[in-house]
Amino acid sequence: MSKKYLYKAVRSGVFAALLCISSFLVIPIGAVPVTMTVLTIMLCGVILTPFEAFCATAVYVLMGAIGFPVFSGGSGGIGALVGITGGYIWSYPFMAFVVSSCCQIKVDKKPIKYIFAFLGCLCGLLICYFFGTLQYIVVAATNINTALYVCVLPFIPIDIIKAVCSLFIGIPIKKYLK
């Protein structure tokens, strides 16, 4: 294995580990808790390449699927993936891939780079909200209005703050790692 591939594997592994750690930082506000996982996924997307970001988050999901207690509040196993918040977890690899893809757009001016990265984070959040809300509707046997009030609206301000934080932390780190 060449140094280049080993470096990419290590970067992905580090972010998979950070995802495991960040999921333990939980604020229970109802059926869907606030975790730092979404911030870490956005950081993963901002810093890593799309393939690395997808792999890091997929490893995290697989670790939880086989039973490691890496999901919100120390849960794990298939039960967490098919529960009311499982849709969010399923979305993580796609969310990271989209955020990273938007951050790969080459621009000369620094403000434009931040705008593309922020738009990528917003697109990633839309994916997360879509999968999370859809599974919540199915598992909780509720309607879309109730699901939006539980799964999306309370999180928009918090997630926008997380997106901005991921930019101001991630973009300088990405520059340093090159």
Side-chain angles (χ1 to χ4, degrees):
M1 181 181 284
S2 73
K3 278 185 173 180
K4 178 182 175 182
Y5 294 113
L6 181 62
Y7 180 69
K8 290 180 178 232
V10 168
R11 286 170 31 130
S12 295
V14 166
F15 269 96
L18 287 173
L19 282 164
C20 294
I21 294 166
S22 67
S23 67
F24 285 96
L25 303 170
V26 178
I27 302 170
I29 62 167
V32 180
V34 174
T35 70
M36 295 308 289
T37 309
V38 171
L39 171 66
T40 308
I41 290 168
M42 287 189 272
L43 273 171
C44 182
V46 170
I47 295 171
L48 302 178
T49 67
F51 180 73
E52 292 170 336
F54 185 89
C55 288
T57 51
V59 164
Y60 167 74
V61 173
L62 288 173
M63 286 173 59
I66 62 174
F68 287 102
V70 297
F71 297 145
S72 173
S75 66
I78 296 296
L81 292 171
V82 297
I84 60 172
T85 60
Y88 295 103
I89 299 167
W90 290 113
S91 76
Y92 292 163
F94 306 104
M95 179 183 177
F97 184 85
V98 166
V99 172
S100 182
S101 296
C102 290
C103 291
Q104 297 300 313
I105 298 170
K106 302 290 184 205
V107 292
D108 294 332
K109 298 188 184 224
K110 195 172 184 178
I112 305 293
K113 181 180 288 196
Y114 279 84
I115 290 170
F116 276 116
F118 182 71
L119 291 174
C121 289
L122 292 182
C123 290
L125 285 171
L126 288 175
I127 290 169
C128 186
Y129 291 156
F130 176 77
F131 279 98
T133 303
L134 186 64
Q135 186 158 328
Y136 184 87
I137 289 170
V138 172
V139 174
T142 189
N143 61 38
I144 191 160
N145 290 334
T146 302
L148 289 174
Y149 283 116
V150 172
C151 299
V152 177
L153 295 178
F155 299 97
I156 292 173
I158 297 165
D159 288 339
I160 288 175
I161 292 169
K162 290 177 187 176
V164 170
C165 289
S166 72
L167 303 179
F168 287 101
I169 295 169
I171 290 176
I173 290 174
K174 182 177 183 174
K175 185 179 177 184
Y176 175 76
L177 290 176
K178 285 188 176 185

